[in-house]
C-alpha cells in the first residue's frame, strides 16, 4: 500500500479559489485573505488543520492554525505584506494526541479509571520527544526534546495520580505537542495563488485627458487617448500617467506570433523604463487571450507594481476571462443614473466605473460613479467650470473618507420617492460612515423621506446627532432614523453626509 493510502483526511471546497487554482485571486497590500476549507477524516479521530502561506519566491511556508467551524468547516486568514505573487494552501492530519486528550476529559468527567489512558498518553509524548530531537538542527540545544521526554516519564511513572492528570490536561503540554505533532500522513491541498497589487489598484480616480493640468481636479491617474512621447514633467507628485497600448502589431496568431508577442512586450518594457506603471488597453478582446496571460504574467513577474486596465466590450464572459488573465481593472461605462450593484467579484477583478460627458443626467452619473465605486474615471474633454468644481470636491471627499476607498460597505436604503436614491458607505475600522442621497431626475427637484439604518450608521436612539453635507458644507441636526431631504438636479444633485452618530467618527 502506498503512503497516500494512510492519508485519512479529506480536504475539499477550499475558498477562495478560481477555476480549481488555474488562476490567482486578487488582493491589495494590507487586505486580508480569509481562507476556508472542508476538512474531515473517517472515524471519530480529531484532526489538526493549518493554513500555509509564503511569497512565491520563498521556499519555506509560514503557517497559522485554522479554527473549526460548524459542519467540518475550517477557517483562517492572512494578510500579504508586500506586492507580488503569494501562494497559500491547506494541510490537515489526524492528531492522535488531540484525540487522546479529548477522550481523556470525557472519561474523567464520567468518573472512569484513566490509568491506562495516561500510559497511552505517555507513549504519544515520548514519540513527540523523538521527533523534536530529530527536527533540531546540528548545534542547536535540544531543550524541547528533553522537556517532552521528562514529561513522558512523569505521565508514565509519576507517584501522584492527580498530578499526572493535571499534567495530561496542561495547556503548555498541548502547545509542545502541537509544535511536534506527527505529520507523516498529512493531506495537503494544491497550491493556490494570490496576486497582491499596490494600493492604487484598490482606490483611484482617473481622468481621460491630454492636458496635465487636469490633475488639479484631484485625479490620481491621467490617461491620454494616445501614448505621449514622454511623461509630463509638470504633473503633480503622486499623479500617474497611464499609457494606452496600440492595437496588435504583426500577426499575433500566425506563423510568426512569437516575434509579434516579444515585440509588444518590448514596447511595454520601454515605457516601464521611463517610469510608467499603468497601461490601458482598448478592445483587448481583439488580441489573443493567450497573449494577455503571457504578457501580463511576464511583466508582473519583473515589475509586480505594474497595473493594467481593460477597456473591454460589454460581453460579461469576455470581461470575466480578461480578468482571469491578469487585468487589474475592467472598465464599466455608467450610461444611466441608476444603482450600481456591489461588486461581488473581489477575488477576481475590480470594476473601474467610467463616466463620459453628455446627456442631461451627466451630473447624476458623475456623483454615482464617484461615491459608489472605489475606482472611477471621467472622460474630461471641455468640462464646464461648474462640473470641474464638482469633480474637484468629489475627489477631495473620496481622499478624506476611508469609506469611499473600498468597494466594501455599500448598502442601499429605502425612500418614499423612487427618484431619490439613498445608500450608505461604512468603514467600521476607521469609524467612518457616509450617507448619500442622489436626485436621479435631471430636470425636476425631488424631495422625500429617507429610512436610515440606525445600527449600521451608529445613530443614537434617544438624542439628536449632527450631520455634515460634504458637498455644500451645510450642517444639520437630525433625530431618529427618518429624515427629510430636498434635492435640485443642478448643479449639485446630491447630498453626501458624514454622519457623526458613530462613536469615534471623524469630528471635523
Amino acid at each position: 500500500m502506498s503512503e497516500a493510502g494512510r492519508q485519512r483526511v479529506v480536504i475539499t471546497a477550499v475558498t477562495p479559489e478560481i477555476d480549481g487554482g488555474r488562476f490567482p485571486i486578487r488582493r491589495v497590500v494590507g487586505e486580508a485573505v480569509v481562507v476556508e476549507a472542508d476538512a474531515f477524516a473517517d472515524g471519530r479521530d480529531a484532526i489538526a488543520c493549518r493554513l500555509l502561506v509564503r511569497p512565491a519566491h520563498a521556499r519555506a511556508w509560514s503557517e497559522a492554525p485554522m479554527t473549526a467551524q460548524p459542519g467540518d468547516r475550517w477557517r483562517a486568514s492572512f494578510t500579504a505584506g508586500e506586492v507580488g505573487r503569494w501562494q497559500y494552501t491547506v494541510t490537515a492530519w489526524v492528531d492522535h494526541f488531540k484525540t487522546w486528550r479529548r477522550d481523556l476529559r470525557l472519561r474523567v468527567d464520567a468518573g472512569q479509571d484513566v490509568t491506562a489512558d495516561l500510559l497511552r498518553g505517555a507513549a504519544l509524548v515520548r514519540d513527540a520527544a523523538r521527533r523534536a530531537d530529530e527536527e533540531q538542527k546540528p548545534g542547536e540545544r535540544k531543550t524541547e526534546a528533553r522537556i517532552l521526554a521528562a514529561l513522558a516519564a512523569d505521565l508514565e511513572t509519576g507517584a501522584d495520580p492527580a498530578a499526572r492528570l493535571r499534567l495530561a490536561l496542561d495547556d503548555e503540554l498541548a502547545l509542545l505537542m502541537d509544535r511536534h505533532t506527527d505529520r507523516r500522513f498529512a493531506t495537503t491541498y494544491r497550491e493556490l495563488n494570490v496576486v497582491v497589487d499596490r494600493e492604487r489598484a484598490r482606490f483611484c480616480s482617473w481622468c481621460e485627458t491630454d492636458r496635465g493640468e487636469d490633475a488639479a481636479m484631484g485625479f490620481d491617474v491621467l490617461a491620454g487617448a494616445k501614448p505621449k512621447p514622454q511623461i509630463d514633467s509638470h504633473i503633480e507628485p503622486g499623479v500617474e500617467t497611464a499609457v494606452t497600448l496600440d492595437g496588435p502589431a504583426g500577426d499575433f496568431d500566425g506563423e510568426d506570433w512569437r516575434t509579434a508577442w516579444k515585440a509588444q512586450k518590448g514596447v511595454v518594457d520601454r515605457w516601464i523604463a521611463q517610469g510608467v506603471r499603468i497601461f490601458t488597453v482598448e478592445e483587448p478582446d481583439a488580441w489573443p487571450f493567450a497573449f494577455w496571460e503571457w504578457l501580463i504574467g511576464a511583466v508582473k513577474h519583473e515589475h509586480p507594481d505594474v497595473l493594467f486596465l481593460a477597456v473591454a466590450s460589454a460581453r460579461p464572459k469576455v470581461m470575466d476571462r480578461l480578468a482571469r488573465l491578469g487585468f487589474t481593472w475592467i472598465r464599466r461605462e455608467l450610461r444611466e443614473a441608476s444603482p450600481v450593484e456591489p461588486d461581488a467579484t473581489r477575488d477576481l477583478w475590480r470594476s473601474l466605473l467610467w463616466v463620459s460627458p453628455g446627456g442631461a443626467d451627466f451630473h447624476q452619473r458623475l456623483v454615482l460613479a464617484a461615491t459608489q465605486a472605489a475606482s472611477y474615471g471621467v472622460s474630461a474633454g471641455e468640462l464646464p467650470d461648474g462640473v470641474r468644481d464638482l469633480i474637484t470636491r468629489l475627489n477631495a471627499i473620496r481622499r478624506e473618507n476611508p469609506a469611499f476607498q473600498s468597494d466594501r460597505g455599500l448598502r442601499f436604503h429605502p425612500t418614499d420617492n423612487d427618484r431619490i436614491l439613498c445608500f450608505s458607505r461604512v468603514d467600521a475600522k476607521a469609524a467612518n460612515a457616509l450617507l448619500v442621497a442622489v436626485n436621479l431626475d435631471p430636470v425636476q427637484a425631488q424631495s422625500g423621506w429617507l429610512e436610515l439604518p440606525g445600527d449600521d450608521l451608529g445613530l443614537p436612539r434617544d438624542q439628536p446627532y449632527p450631520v455634515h453635507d460634504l458637498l455644500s458644507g451645510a450642517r444639520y441636526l437630525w433625530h431618529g432614523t427618518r429624515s427629510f431631504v430636498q434635492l435640485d438636479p443642478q448643479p449639485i444633485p446630491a447630498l453626501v453626509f458624514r454622519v457623526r452618530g458613530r462613536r469615534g467618527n471623524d469630528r471635523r
Side-chain angles (χ1 to χ4, degrees):
M1 179 184 294
S2 68
E3 290 298 310
R6 303 182 68 180
Q7 295 175 336
R8 295 172 52 197
V9 176
V10 175
I11 300 175
T12 187
V14 175
T15 60
E17 181 182 34
I18 298 174
D19 294 354
R22 165 72 170 80
F23 299 102
I25 66 166
R26 313 296 288 272
R27 288 293 188 275
V28 167
V29 168
E31 288 184 335
V33 181
V34 179
V35 180
E36 293 191 356
D38 290 345
F40 51 91
D42 55 272
R44 57 182 301 276
D45 284 321
I47 68 171
C49 198
R50 299 287 188 273
L51 170 64
L52 305 182
V53 181
R54 67 182 177 188
H57 58 75
R59 298 185 63 183
W61 296 94
S62 60
E63 67 174 51
M66 300 189 75
T67 304
Q69 308 295 312
D72 293 315
R73 193 74 174 161
W74 296 78
R75 178 187 299 154
S77 66
F78 71 94
T79 301
E82 64 182 46
V83 172
R85 184 176 287 254
W86 289 65
Q87 296 174 327
Y88 62 99
T89 189
V90 174
T91 187
W93 60 92
V94 170
D95 191 321
H96 295 292
F97 181 80
K98 188 184 293 185
T99 304
W100 170 81
R101 195 167 185 254
R102 179 200 65 195
D103 292 345
L104 178 65
R105 286 184 182 276
L106 294 175
R107 290 190 174 93
V108 170
D109 291 342
Q112 298 177 6
D113 179 64
V114 294
T115 303
D117 298 272
L118 294 177
L119 294 177
R120 285 194 293 271
L124 292 172
V125 175
R126 189 172 289 107
D127 289 341
R130 285 194 290 268
R131 286 192 296 274
D133 185 66
E134 294 168 357
E135 290 164 1
Q136 297 294 329
K137 297 178 182 178
E140 290 184 347
R141 295 180 62 189
K142 301 179 180 180
T143 305
E144 291 191 349
R146 290 199 299 270
I147 292 173
L148 284 166
L151 292 173
D154 289 343
L155 270 179
E156 187 173 46
T157 61
D160 184 353
R164 293 170 69 193
L165 187 57
R166 286 195 299 271
L167 172 61
L169 299 178
D170 184 69
D171 289 340
E172 291 297 324
L173 173 61
L175 289 173
L176 277 174
M177 292 296 291
D178 190 64
R179 282 203 289 271
H180 302 288
T181 183
D182 185 0
R183 301 191 186 191
R184 287 177 299 162
F185 308 117
T187 300
T188 301
Y189 198 70
R190 56 178 164 264
E191 294 177 9
L192 304 173
N193 290 274
V194 51
V195 170
V196 179
D197 287 315
R198 56 192 172 101
E199 183 71 14
R200 185 137 288 174
R202 177 177 61 85
F203 169 69
C204 60
S205 57
W206 289 55
C207 180
E208 189 174 69
T209 179
D210 289 323
R211 303 185 308 172
E213 57 266 27
D214 283 335
M217 287 188 281
F219 288 105
D220 304 306
V221 181
L222 301 185
K226 296 181 180 179
K228 300 181 180 181
Q230 62 184 10
I231 305 303
D232 293 319
S233 59
H234 63 281
I235 294 178
E236 298 177 9
V239 179
E240 296 187 63
T241 297
V243 166
T244 302
L245 297 179
D246 288 330
D251 192 354
F252 262 51
D253 54 3
E255 293 294 329
D256 201 23
W257 61 272
R258 289 183 178 84
T259 300
W261 288 23
K262 291 179 180 178
Q264 189 63 48
K265 183 176 184 298
V267 172
V268 174
D269 288 341
R270 287 192 289 274
W271 281 111
I272 290 174
Q274 295 187 52
V276 173
R277 288 298 183 271
I278 301 179
F279 293 90
T280 298
V281 182
E282 304 278 351
E283 299 183 358
D285 49 329
W287 312 41
F289 287 143
F291 164 72
W292 288 122
E293 185 171 14
W294 170 81
L295 176 70
I296 295 176
V299 169
K300 290 187 75 68
H301 178 74
E302 299 166 2
H303 307 281
D305 60 335
V306 171
L307 309 174
F308 291 85
L309 168 67
V311 184
S313 68
R315 297 158 63 192
K317 292 182 179 178
V318 171
M319 293 191 293
D320 185 81
R321 189 66 181 183
L322 291 169
R324 279 168 160 75
L325 300 177
F327 279 93
T328 312
W329 308 277
I330 307 296
R331 175 169 147 176
R332 297 168 57 197
E333 192 80 24
L334 187 61
R335 301 186 185 279
E336 60 181 22
S338 61
V340 176
E341 289 302 316
D343 195 345
T345 58
R346 178 171 168 267
D347 289 330
L348 182 58
W349 56 288
R350 290 176 166 83
S351 296
L352 194 150
L353 209 55
W354 201 268
V355 183
S356 297
D361 65 347
F362 174 63
H363 290 73
Q364 283 82 357
R365 288 184 288 117
L366 173 64
V367 172
L368 289 172
T371 56
Q372 293 191 63
S375 297
Y376 90 108
V378 180
S379 299
E382 296 297 327
L383 294 174
D385 289 342
V387 174
R388 297 175 68 87
D389 292 342
L390 176 58
I391 291 174
T392 302
R393 188 67 191 131
L394 284 168
N395 284 338
I397 291 170
R398 284 163 51 84
R399 287 193 303 272
E400 294 166 0
N401 290 276
F404 283 138
Q405 298 170 16
S406 168
D407 285 324
R408 292 182 169 185
L410 170 63
R411 287 190 58 192
F412 295 96
H413 309 299
T415 72
D416 65 353
N417 182 341
D418 61 7
R419 300 303 292 160
I420 294 179
L421 179 66
C422 179
F423 55 92
S424 61
R425 304 296 305 274
V426 176
D427 186 313
K429 185 177 180 180
N432 186 224
L434 286 301
L435 183 74
V436 182
V438 183
N439 179 0
L440 300 180
D441 189 331
V443 178
Q444 297 184 3
Q446 298 289 334
S447 61
W449 287 90
L450 312 180
E451 298 287 345
L452 308 181
D455 291 340
D456 290 350
L457 296 177
L459 305 181
R461 299 176 183 273
D462 54 359
Q463 60 184 351
Y465 54 91
V467 295
H468 177 199
D469 179 17
L470 303 179
L471 283 174
S472 68
R475 299 174 185 270
Y476 305 92
L477 197 63
W478 284 3
H479 190 100
T481 57
R482 295 187 78 240
S483 293
F484 182 81
V485 296
Q486 183 165 343
L487 296 156
D488 291 323
Q490 300 290 341
I492 303 178
L495 298 167
V496 179
F497 292 115
R498 183 162 52 221
V499 182
R500 298 184 180 178
R502 179 176 292 275
R503 184 178 180 182
N505 201 15
D506 194 327
R507 298 290 175 183
R508 288 175 297 174

